[in-house]
Amino acid sequence: MCIRDRLEILFGGLSLSARTLQHWASAARDGFERAAGNDRQPPISRYEALVARLKAEPLAVRARYGQAALAEKIRSFAGALNESDGSAARRWLDGLLAHQGPTLDERVVLRCQMAVRLVGWLAQPTTDLATPSLTALATRYRHDLAWVDWARNVLLEGDDSAELAGAYARLRDCVHQRREAFDRSFAEALATGIPDGAALIPIEAALTRAVVPMAAAGRILLIVVDGMSIAVFLELHQSLKQHGWSPCQRTPGTGATLLAMLPSTTEASRTSLFCGRPCTGSAATEHAEFKRFPALVAPSVAGKPPLLFHKKDLLDRSGVALADDLRAALNDTRQRVVAVVINAVDDHLMKADQLRLRWTIAQFKGLDALLAEARSSERTVILSSDHGHLLDQDTELRASSPSARWREPSLECYPGEIKLGGARVKAACGLDEVMLAWSERLRYASKRNGYHGGCSPQEALAPVASYRHGPRMDDGWYGSDEAPPIWWRL
């Protein structure tokens, strides 16, 4: 018995033409699409009850309405992911996005989109890693693999659907297997390679190479987000653009990437950044050294040396508004250089919960207020980090160390680690040689949200980028951007 026959029985034997049914369907669709929000749920419930009464479930799975149709599309989408079928995954994603009710939560949609992107990345041909230099590998990470890390970090959230959760886990594992080869090559390049000082800048040269040229051109606000990886930066970068901040440079071309100290610890990398030389220290060390850094003192007004504000100096007692001293410094037209440290990312890594955050402006306490003050005082914003991090993804404990991703050398040697030495290592930890984890599955301490200290590109590379508010570039400024790789496009 066809659906029309069942409808005619339902309506007491009324004869229904195809034209009548089409008219009803069109009217129902128009009425549904005019409804908003919660007003759509009652008709969806009535629709699903009617489908059940007519025993029309096999046909309903192709519809744009109802839970049964949505569940079938999710199953088909998960199946396409499991088969690594990019074309089918995109088609089913379009079907999910076109579903009218119930609709998917925006976080679910984002995970679906990231999964499709990763399938696209896996379909790309593998690249020969035998000869590239350290700088070439870092550049490839910045412009390709960091986007991979952004996508797969989103998939760590899993999904309420068992089919999708399983597909995401399998996809993450496939990505990890390919990533391991790159991470190994990057670690080996660290042993012999030297940053070129342009595309890849040692963290201790960041002030000279990336900050001083901006300070020479006008007032600046340097924001150092402790522990911000390039993957997190890419997400924050999109948020900045949405709020009217345009990426810019003093010279044409692509931007630079910073190489953290190794081990990639805060006490070494952040202190080296603010001191302008390889060293370790505390917030007090950074404050004192930054204030008298010669190349930043030079463009500053006499009596107005560079100022650095750490976490405790950022907000007032309410914990909401900017501290008075910081606000005054930002609004002082004679104060050329102001720097701020934000600890949101590093603080999140220290926790044991598995909460996954969206790294937009709103996620960083005080950042929106900082940007508002920078805009009103016409300051160029320089966004940077001291080192990156990696999130916990099925890590295994090996050996034991006070630090999660590096240890002193011993007779034991584990897969996924490398021995590195040299002047920068000595300056960072006082040892001639250290064992650094390059595999993201290896840790030496208790489990947390994430880790840093090792030499994976996620940890050892840090972003630096500059922004001015508004779309127009003044003379002497050049627009720039973080162009997504071709496989990122949906």
Side-chain angles (χ1 to χ4, degrees), residues 10-254:
L10 181 65
F11 283 93
L14 179 66
S15 179
L16 300 173
S17 66
R19 183 176 181 180
T20 298
L21 292 176
Q22 290 172 355
H23 178 73
W24 284 3
S26 178
R29 181 172 58 251
D30 291 345
F32 181 83
E33 291 178 353
R34 284 196 301 270
N38 294 333
D39 293 338
R40 289 188 169 191
Q41 188 53 47
I44 290 175
S45 299
R46 290 195 296 272
Y47 164 79
E48 291 183 324
L50 182 60
V51 167
R53 189 171 179 182
L54 296 173
K55 297 181 173 58
E57 289 88 348
L59 294 177
V61 296
R62 299 201 298 265
R64 293 189 297 161
Y65 313 96
Q67 187 63 47
L70 180 62
E72 180 60 29
K73 290 171 185 174
I74 287 175
R75 280 192 291 271
S76 298
F77 177 65
L81 295 179
N82 286 328
E83 295 295 326
S84 298
D85 188 337
S87 297
R90 288 174 184 271
R91 287 197 304 273
W92 284 112
L93 174 60
D94 290 341
L96 287 169
L97 296 178
H99 199 77
Q100 296 294 301
T103 56
L104 297 177
D105 178 86
E106 63 178 14
R107 296 175 74 96
V108 177
V109 171
L110 179 61
R111 291 195 293 268
C112 291
Q113 292 172 330
M114 292 302 193
V116 169
R117 286 166 170 151
L118 288 178
V119 170
W121 178 73
L122 287 169
Q124 300 293 304
T126 56
T127 303
D128 182 17
L129 300 173
T131 57
S133 66
L134 175 60
T135 297
L137 290 170
T139 300
R140 183 186 166 198
Y141 180 80
R142 172 73 175 258
H143 299 298
D144 186 64
L145 293 174
W147 297 81
V148 173
D149 287 339
W150 178 9
R152 65 190 184 128
N153 287 346
V154 169
L155 294 192
L156 279 173
E157 297 173 3
D159 198 89
D160 291 340
S161 161
E163 292 94 342
L164 274 184
Y168 292 162
R170 176 192 169 278
L171 189 54
R172 291 198 313 269
D173 189 58
C174 290
V175 171
H176 166 74
Q177 291 178 31
R178 180 180 289 194
R179 279 298 314 279
E180 281 283 89
F182 180 88
D183 291 355
R184 179 194 294 272
S185 295
F186 182 80
E188 292 170 348
L190 285 171
T192 57
I194 299 174
D196 69 350
L200 182 61
I201 301 171
I203 196 83
E204 62 270 25
L207 291 184
T208 300
R209 299 293 179 86
V211 179
V212 169
M214 298 296 177
R219 293 186 298 277
I220 65 167
L221 169 60
L222 169 61
I223 301 175
V224 176
V225 182
D226 198 340
M228 178 174 64
S229 64
I230 296 179
V232 169
F233 159 74
L234 290 172
E235 188 170 5
L236 179 56
H237 171 80
Q238 302 302 320
S239 183
L240 286 166
K241 288 172 56 180
Q242 291 167 5
H243 285 77
W245 289 92
S246 300
C248 60
Q249 296 180 154
R250 292 296 291 167
T251 56
T254 57

Side-chain angles (χ1 to χ4, degrees), residues 368-429:
D368 53 349
L370 282 170
L371 293 172
E373 295 294 345
R375 177 183 178 182
S376 65
S377 59
E378 298 183 340
R379 291 183 181 272
T380 298
V381 171
I382 305 170
L383 182 65
S384 186
S385 175
D386 51 350
H387 56 76
H389 71 271
L390 54 83
L391 295 178
D392 186 89
Q393 300 187 52
D394 303 319
T395 57
E396 295 183 0
L397 181 65
R398 291 287 184 269
S400 178
S401 172
S403 302
R405 295 278 294 168
W406 71 277
R407 65 183 181 88
E408 294 188 24
S410 67
L411 296 177
E412 297 288 344
C413 185
Y414 301 99
E417 63 180 7
I418 189 171
K419 182 185 291 186
L420 294 180
R424 295 182 86 240
V425 169
K426 180 78 170 181
C429 65

